[in-house]
Amino acid sequence: MRANKVSAIMENEFEGKGLGELTANRPLATLYFDCKYRMIDFSLSNLVNANVRSMYMISSQANIQSIFDHLGGGNHWHLNNILSHYFISFKESIQQAQEAGKPFYDPMIDFLRKSKSKFTVYTGNKILCNVDYRSVISVHEEQQRECTVLFKRVEKEKIYPKDRVLSFSDTSSFDATVFEDYTQDQPFYNLAMNIFVVNTEWLIRVLEETQATGEYVCMEEILWQNINHTNTTTYEYTGYLSNIFDINSYYEANMDMLDPKKFNSLLYSSQHILTKAKNEVPTYFSPESNVHSSQFATGSIIRGNVHRSLISRRTTIETKARVEDSIVMANGKIGEEAVIQFAILDKNVTVEPGVQVIGTKEHPIVIKKGSHVTTDQIGA
């Protein structure tokens, strides 16, 4: 697929307030996943794997530094060559232009025109998946539609109340309903994935019409407002998907990576997930360590016991410590005989020797970034 045939708009609209301390000082986009990845890696990799090289990202100014730190010059995603273009726009700047009566969508419209792309992919920021956009765009082009909506059949527990679910009629048309307003109880629902493939010229017209009203609306909402006024179709995604909107969904998605089938489906299909490279030494396991069904990033030292857990870079787990059913992010320090169970430890957390940090499977306990834990932390 030609690099200039498809452009992309990535919107970090969902703030992830249900994740509490995990997103208090970082956007959802740079939240750790499976030891070494960040959430944004999946959206970026899906696009790059389809040879998309023109990207426009909308983010909040709050905590934007972590996005810049992670993306750098874009070289880890091959976005640093002469044919690649990616831009970051601030949501607050769009709103300020709108309040001042200025043409607030013009920068985005200008990007789309200069990209000379036939199609544009829109993606939100809370869905983990490995989508082959080449197949989606091929179907979209073959059916000659203005807009294609991606969906996945999922259980109720995987749906955020503000998400939309699709219901289909016998005529192949569909309705999109906000989940909290959906009245039918069923084992599986058609979750709209906050991913759209649209014709670029159609999107430009829609943005110009919305701008003419003088009302600012986020990109996802603009698309939902206009799909009923054009020829729209759907595409069912059948691969692995996690919808990250609260602590439980984040915890379960990480634990899913200990299942080889789910791990391979998300991370080691024909499309690889790219991330920022770290050239570090391998993790060291001492003779007295005891490790089962766990994953480790580089640069860690393991002397204790680790069962069904995910351990990020440069973490030290001392002798006779026990880490079970837990997530430990980068630079963790777990003291001798400490016990960590059903817990999520953010970056730079130190747990003193003998201290217990224990949650439950239904309510994993979260220890915020940079904490020094000196007394037992037992969840309800």
Side-chain angles (χ1 to χ4, degrees):
M1 186 176 297
R2 298 196 315 273
N4 66 343
K5 188 177 183 179
V6 185
S7 58
I9 294 176
M10 304 170 62
E11 186 170 45
N12 295 304
E13 175 69 17
F14 186 76
E15 296 178 351
K17 292 179 180 177
L19 287 139
E21 291 290 348
L22 295 175
T23 51
N25 296 300
R26 64 161 72 89
L28 181 61
T30 57
L31 181 60
Y32 276 89
F33 180 77
D34 191 35
C35 303
K36 68 175 185 178
Y37 299 96
R38 306 293 183 107
M39 289 281 292
I40 196 173
D41 292 336
F42 295 86
S43 297
L44 277 175
S45 297
N46 289 337
L47 293 167
V48 169
N49 287 331
N51 203 28
V52 179
R53 293 293 185 268
S54 293
M55 302 183 193
Y56 189 95
M57 186 184 302
I58 306 169
S59 294
S60 172
Q61 287 177 331
N63 306 317
I64 190 66
Q65 186 61 47
S66 63
I67 292 181
F68 286 134
D69 288 345
H70 186 64
L71 292 182
N75 55 302
H76 301 287
W77 298 269
H78 315 301
L79 295 174
N80 59 335
N81 61 54
I82 195 169
L83 297 176
S84 299
H85 311 277
Y86 76 94
F87 306 88
I88 296 180
S89 175
F90 296 126
K91 174 182 175 181
E92 292 84 354
S93 298
I94 300 173
Q95 292 173 323
Q96 289 167 6
Q98 181 262 336
E99 291 167 1
K102 297 179 180 179
F104 47 97
Y105 286 136
D106 270 11
M108 198 183 312
I109 293 169
D110 187 53
F111 160 79
L112 292 170
R113 285 186 173 137
K114 287 181 178 177
S115 73
K116 295 182 171 57
S117 61
K118 185 175 182 180
F119 308 110
T120 298
V121 175
Y122 167 87
T123 178
N125 63 327
K126 66 185 181 69
I127 299 288
L128 283 172
C129 58
N130 193 330
V131 176
D132 183 355
Y133 282 127
R134 290 166 297 188
S135 295
V136 182
I137 292 164
S138 177
V139 171
H140 174 84
E141 188 170 21
E142 182 180 333
Q143 295 191 0
Q144 298 182 345
R145 302 300 180 100
E146 299 279 13
C147 178
T148 296
V149 180
L150 275 69
F151 74 95
K152 162 86 174 174
R153 290 182 59 78
V154 301
E155 304 89 342
K156 181 177 183 178
E157 293 72 26
K158 290 185 177 289
I159 307 177
Y160 179 62
K162 300 295 183 184
D163 285 335
R164 283 176 169 82
V165 293
L166 309 182
S167 53
F168 296 91
S169 69
D170 294 337
T171 60
S172 299
S173 62
F174 69 92
D175 292 317
T177 307
V178 176
F179 185 61
E180 61 185 1
D181 298 330
Y182 196 74
T183 56
Q184 298 182 31
D185 189 18
Q186 51 199 62
F188 290 93
Y189 299 81
N190 300 313
L191 171 66
M193 295 167 55
N194 300 334
I195 297 175
F196 302 77
V197 174
V198 301
N199 292 355
T200 302
E201 286 301 321
W202 174 81
L203 181 57
I204 290 172
R205 289 198 306 271
V206 166
L207 286 171
E208 288 175 334
E209 290 167 4
T210 305
Q211 182 168 257
T213 69
E215 180 183 0
Y216 167 74
V217 185
C218 73
M219 272 297 302
E220 182 186 345
E221 224 22 69
I222 288 174
L223 292 168
W224 283 121
Q225 289 175 5
N226 284 274
I227 60 170
N228 291 327
H229 307 303
T230 190
N231 52 341
T232 303
T233 189
T234 58
Y235 182 98
E236 182 177 4
Y237 168 72
T238 57
Y240 176 87
L241 178 145
S242 275
N243 188 12
I244 310 299
F245 55 86
D246 61 11
I247 290 169
N248 274 35
S249 60
Y250 174 72
Y251 176 81
E252 290 297 332
N254 276 275
M255 291 298 113
D256 278 351
M257 295 301 97
L258 300 178
D259 179 330
K261 184 177 180 180
K262 294 176 179 177
F263 174 80
N264 288 326
S265 177
L266 180 63
L267 292 166
Y268 285 95
S269 67
S270 58
Q271 299 197 131
H272 291 168
I273 302 299
L274 307 170
T275 190
K276 184 177 180 179
K278 296 279 188 179
N279 297 318
E280 296 178 323
V281 297
T283 286
Y284 168 75
F285 300 92
S286 75
E288 68 268 25
S289 65
N290 187 332
V291 174
H292 294 287
S293 304
S294 297
Q295 291 185 18
F296 300 82
T298 54
S300 294
I301 298 174
I302 311 300
R303 299 189 178 96
N305 307 287
V306 183
H307 298 168
R308 283 193 51 79
S309 294
L310 299 107
I311 311 300
S312 292
R313 295 179 171 113
R314 300 179 299 279
T315 292
T316 301
I317 299 176
E318 296 292 357
T319 307
K320 296 183 180 180
R322 285 194 294 121
V323 179
E324 301 174 352
D325 299 287
S326 294
I327 301 164
V328 181
M329 298 187 197
N331 303 312
K333 293 180 173 56
I334 314 300
E336 290 187 12
E337 299 186 343
V339 177
I340 315 296
Q341 290 181 329
F342 297 110
I344 303 172
L345 275 56
D346 207 336
K347 286 180 63 177
N348 305 320
V349 168
T350 298
V351 179
E352 286 295 317
V355 170
Q356 298 185 42
V357 179
I358 300 176
T360 65
K361 183 177 181 180
E362 294 74 24
H363 301 287
I365 188 170
V366 175
I367 304 300
K368 70 178 183 178
K369 181 178 178 180
S371 295
H372 188 170
V373 185
T374 58
T375 59
D376 292 350
Q377 304 289 315
I378 310 298

